[in-house]
Amino acid sequence: MQFVEFAEICNTIEETSSRLATADILAEKFPSLTEEELPVFVRFMRGKLFPDWSSEKLGFGPNLLYDALAYVIGKKRDYVVSAINNAGDVGKVVESLLEKREQTMFFSEELDLLDVNERFLLMAKSSGRRSQQERLRSAQYLLSNATPLEGRYLARLMLEEMRIGVGEGVVKDAVSKAFGIPADVIEHAHQALNDLGEVASLAKTDPSQLTEVHITAFRPVKMMLAQQGSITSMVETHGKLAAENKYDGSRFQFHKSGGKCAIYSRRLEEMTASLPDVVGMLDKATDHDVIIDGEVIAIMNGKPMPFQTILRRIRRKHDVGDAQEAITLLPWVFDILAADGETLIDQPFLRRRQILESVMNAYVAPQLVSDSVDEIEAYYHTSLDNGNEGIMLKVLDSPYLPGNRGKLWIKIKPEVDTIDLVVTGAEWGEGKRAKMFGSFLLACQDENGDLLEISRVATGIDDSMLSTLYDLFKEKIIAEKGKTVSFEPDVVFEVGYAELQRSTNYAAGYALRFPRFVRLRDDKDVYEIETLESLTRRYSLQNKEE
Ligand code: AMP
């Protein structure tokens, strides 16, 4: 497939507001793509360059893009930056700058979808002193051979931000439609494979494999998540339940196979190099090949330390030796996804737990199995007294649903109303904070994963956090106009608030009253932020209580 055709389809979809029509466009195209093209096409449509399980990163931010573009159009970098700052949409600016250049072009090569993919792989793989230079050269190559429309989508792909409204759900519907496969089969295969590209490709070439998918070592799957709920209603609905401590740490997935081990964060980034002690402990605790789910906590002077301590430790990748002495890390494991090559996610939790206990000789999280509200409440209070966040309630016959935030896992913790939102922009501060970002613009997501702004937050951020945030965000600036900057939406804040209000000031239709920064959620991905649906639920719940 020529890349220009891909760009034209993106353009058609961008101009379509109907989800159904988008799925139809995709479904119509899928069957004609080759086995190699289909997964790439699917990933690119969603603005992804690599499978979701992959830790691969392009290593290409807005700054390199500006350099590459300036080179290609033969203008100074400042010219490009100010054009982008004035317009905001990077893709469209790249397109219009390439349009102006077009008249002076004599020769260019046609870009092919698979060649573009190869280039991206090359960019991601390049490392060492010359890597920036190599990435820049690849971007220059791509942009100088691109038509203006191709440029629009190349730029957005390189920043991994397509924003054409193709979410996971639309792709799943399209695969289902194109190859006549039931939605639940696709859902299940996607949970295990964690790459919609591969799901689409199997749907085309060998649909029977979609029902027999296996979780593979060193390809992490998304973690199962929890909803808020109450002990009473859980016992009423399910009777006997498992209750576990809700550890205030960092989620991990540990893989061991053929003597090799790896550990992944909740965002599925590989953390093996920064957590050598945890990897060593888990490795020693089992002789089996396993894929295990757990939470690592930090202990200082015998006591669990708050979550932030672990993050500091994880970030300090370079002096792992020093950090290891100050804080001890302790993993707790509470689920098992595969053992000795057998995928276990469809087994009931009770059975998985038995297998977990039989393959691990340490670190299995204690559990209370009970149908007594009183007993579970007592367990909850003991858990809080021991420095945990609360408890988790798990339905005994539930499968493991990767990436799912359903009613099978319920978290019980003291009431504080906080939500996770992504930061889309900021304003420069004033006075002594003039060289820092002062207030941050926050967004939630709708059902397509599109971001909708909902609030600003400035309260609750101390000077040291402000400078941490400055360092973090200065690499993520996409555009700047006056005092306002917009960021690549990549960083998640946990934000407290007093009340949710209806509002026409923000695209979400809601605003937060008294928003307050609680903490940086480095462990969370953009796809995990608060949804409009959940906000609507919160809003009606809040008003019912009044
Ligand atoms: P939250 O981050 O508030 O949505 O709560 C869910 C998180 O609690 C999970 O993602 C885990 O990181 C953490 N957690 C702590 N203890 C457990 C446990 N026993 N079972 C499952 N998740 C746990």
Side-chain angles (χ1 to χ4, degrees):
M1 174 183 239
Q2 296 292 304
F3 191 75
V4 70
E5 190 190 345
F6 168 81
E8 278 158 6
I9 299 175
C10 289
N11 188 33
T12 315
I13 291 179
E14 195 170 351
E15 283 166 8
T16 311
S17 57
S18 147
R19 190 177 182 278
L20 210 66
T22 303
D24 282 344
I25 297 170
L26 295 177
E28 205 173 297
K29 195 69 220 164
F30 284 165
S32 67
L33 297 170
T34 67
E35 208 177 316
E36 288 78 32
E37 286 168 343
L38 186 53
V40 175
F41 181 86
V42 165
R43 285 178 207 130
F44 281 12
M45 274 290 157
R46 293 189 49 229
K48 305 257 174 195
L49 304 184
F50 308 104
D52 286 349
W53 51 260
S54 167
S55 295
E56 206 84 73
K57 291 250 163 21
L58 192 65
F60 190 89
N63 282 324
L64 275 181
L65 178 68
Y66 304 159
D67 286 338
L69 190 59
Y71 170 88
V72 169
I73 61 169
K75 298 265 189 212
K76 289 228 163 62
R77 188 179 193 280
D78 288 350
Y79 176 84
V80 170
V81 173
S82 85
I84 288 174
N85 288 343
N86 282 327
D89 181 333
V90 179
K92 294 224 166 121
V93 174
V94 171
E95 180 177 14
S96 77
L97 292 180
L98 289 180
E99 251 157 28
K100 284 193 198 130
R101 174 204 64 154
E102 223 180 13
Q103 295 89 2
T104 60
M105 265 192 20
F106 299 107
F107 173 77
S108 81
E109 277 178 51
E110 278 181 6
L111 295 171
D112 180 89
L113 182 76
L114 291 179
D115 290 341
V116 171
N117 186 50
E118 279 300 311
R119 279 275 158 184
F120 288 155
L121 287 176
L122 220 83
M123 286 165 83
K125 292 252 174 312
S126 82
S127 62
R129 216 162 30 92
R130 307 183 79 102
S131 61
Q132 289 294 76
Q133 210 47 42
E134 281 168 15
R135 290 192 183 113
L136 186 62
R137 215 164 319 122
S138 283
Q140 286 166 349
Y141 169 86
L142 289 171
L143 290 174
S144 59
N145 287 302
T147 63
L149 190 69
E150 287 176 301
R152 184 200 301 177
Y153 294 106
L154 275 174
R156 292 195 190 160
L157 274 175
M158 287 193 270
L159 298 178
E160 295 195 58
E161 237 204 292
M162 276 305 252
R163 293 207 188 195
I164 57 171
V166 179
E168 265 181 28
V170 174
V171 175
K172 286 181 199 160
D173 289 352
V175 175
S176 171
K177 205 168 216 168
F179 304 109
I181 292 168
D184 58 331
V185 172
I186 290 177
E187 182 63 32
H188 184 255
H190 177 230
Q191 286 177 346
L193 296 171
N194 202 11
D195 174 25
L196 271 180
E198 192 175 346
V199 172
S201 169
L202 284 178
K204 180 180 164 91
T205 56
D206 193 357
S208 68
Q209 280 206 38
L210 290 177
T211 45
E212 299 160 17
V213 284
H214 294 286
I215 297 189
T216 314
F218 313 119
R219 289 188 178 193
V221 298
K222 288 189 188 141
M223 319 246 169
M224 182 158 169
L225 302 168
Q227 267 186 26
Q228 246 148 2
S230 81
I231 299 178
T232 328
S233 74
M234 280 299 275
V235 170
E236 265 168 22
T237 321
H238 300 285
K240 230 182 221 178
L241 291 164
E244 297 168 2
N245 293 326
K246 184 173 191 304
Y247 301 101
D248 182 9
S250 220
R251 188 80 173 269
F252 69 80
Q253 200 173 96
F254 172 75
H255 291 220
K256 175 170 176 171
S257 175
K260 207 183 132 207
C261 295
I263 198 163
Y264 302 92
S265 71
R266 173 165 167 157
R267 298 180 73 160
L268 311 188
E269 286 158 338
E270 190 174 345
M271 312 294 292
T272 315
S274 34
L275 294 170
D277 40 352
V278 177
V279 172
M281 286 153 101
L282 293 168
D283 183 17
K284 274 203 209 81
T286 182
D287 295 329
H288 296 261
D289 284 354
V290 290
I291 298 177
I292 275 175
D293 188 6
E295 180 100 354
V296 52
I297 60 167
I299 310 268
M300 213 183 214
N301 304 326
K303 281 211 173 124
M305 296 304 292
F307 174 80
Q308 295 290 338
T309 321
I310 301 201
L311 283 184
R312 220 171 298 140
R313 152 76 195 263
I314 291 175
R315 274 201 218 105
R316 221 180 303 164
K317 290 186 192 166
H318 302 299
D319 55 353
V320 171
D322 285 0
Q324 226 161 325
E325 279 150 36
I327 320 161
T328 348
L329 295 186
L330 174 66
W332 285 111
V333 300
F334 41 72
D335 217 318
I336 183 158
L337 283 59
D340 299 318
E342 192 192 342
T343 296
L344 301 172
I345 55 173
D346 297 324
Q347 301 280 342
F349 179 48
L350 207 59
R351 174 78 191 121
R352 296 201 304 279
R353 173 80 191 190
Q354 285 166 349
I355 299 174
L356 181 68
E357 285 173 8
S358 75
V359 298
M360 296 294 292
N361 60 34
Y363 312 121
V364 177
Q367 213 184 44
L368 166 78
V369 175
S370 168
D371 57 2
S372 148
V373 172
D374 289 348
E375 209 179 358
I376 297 175
E377 262 171 10
Y379 195 74
Y380 168 66
H381 289 291
T382 315
S383 177
L384 287 177
D385 291 345
N386 291 337
N388 299 305
E389 269 189 340
I391 55 169
M392 300 287 294
L393 294 179
K394 299 182 179 176
V395 176
L396 294 177
D397 58 4
S398 61
Y400 188 96
L401 299 176
N404 183 279
R405 190 189 286 286
K407 290 199 165 65
L408 299 172
W409 283 16
I410 293 292
K411 52 187 172 190
I412 312 284
K413 52 182 186 178
E415 257 339 299
V416 265
D417 261 338
T418 67
I419 48 178
D420 298 322
L421 298 168
V422 72
V423 184
T424 54
E427 272 186 20
W428 290 105
E430 291 181 342
K432 71 180 171 69
R433 291 179 167 183
K435 289 209 163 63
M436 305 251 186
F437 303 117
S439 80
F440 294 85
L441 188 59
L442 306 165
C444 63
Q445 61 178 332
D446 67 10
E447 74 272 24
N448 291 323
D450 286 339
L451 302 180
L452 303 172
E453 267 136 23
I454 178 170
S455 181
R456 287 173 193 281
V457 68
T459 313
I461 313 177
D462 62 18
D463 282 350
S464 124
M465 182 48 82
L466 268 182
S467 93
T468 306
L469 293 178
Y470 174 72
D471 287 341
L472 188 66
F473 282 111
K474 70 176 193 283
E475 306 295 330
K476 302 188 185 290
I477 300 179
I478 294 178
E480 191 166 354
K481 202 171 193 178
K483 284 186 71 99
T484 317
V485 283
S486 49
F487 299 133
E488 243 177 285
D490 186 37
V491 176
V492 177
F493 279 4
E494 184 178 335
V495 179
Y497 63 95
E499 196 193 341
L500 206 54
Q501 296 175 315
R502 284 233 174 260
S503 162
T504 48
N505 293 338
Y506 293 104
Y510 293 104
L512 302 183
R513 194 152 165 250
F514 301 133
R516 172 179 45 86
F517 173 87
V518 176
R519 59 186 172 181
L520 196 58
R521 293 297 308 245
D522 311 38
D523 60 323
K524 285 210 171 177
D525 255 318
V526 178
Y527 75 82
E528 291 184 88
I529 60 170
E530 185 78 9
T531 59
L532 199 55
E533 196 192 341
S534 153
L535 276 170
T536 310
R537 222 172 21 235
R538 279 174 193 269
Y539 183 75
S540 67
L541 220 73
Q542 164 195 297
N543 292 344
K544 224 186 282 164
E545 280 163 8
E546 275 171 3

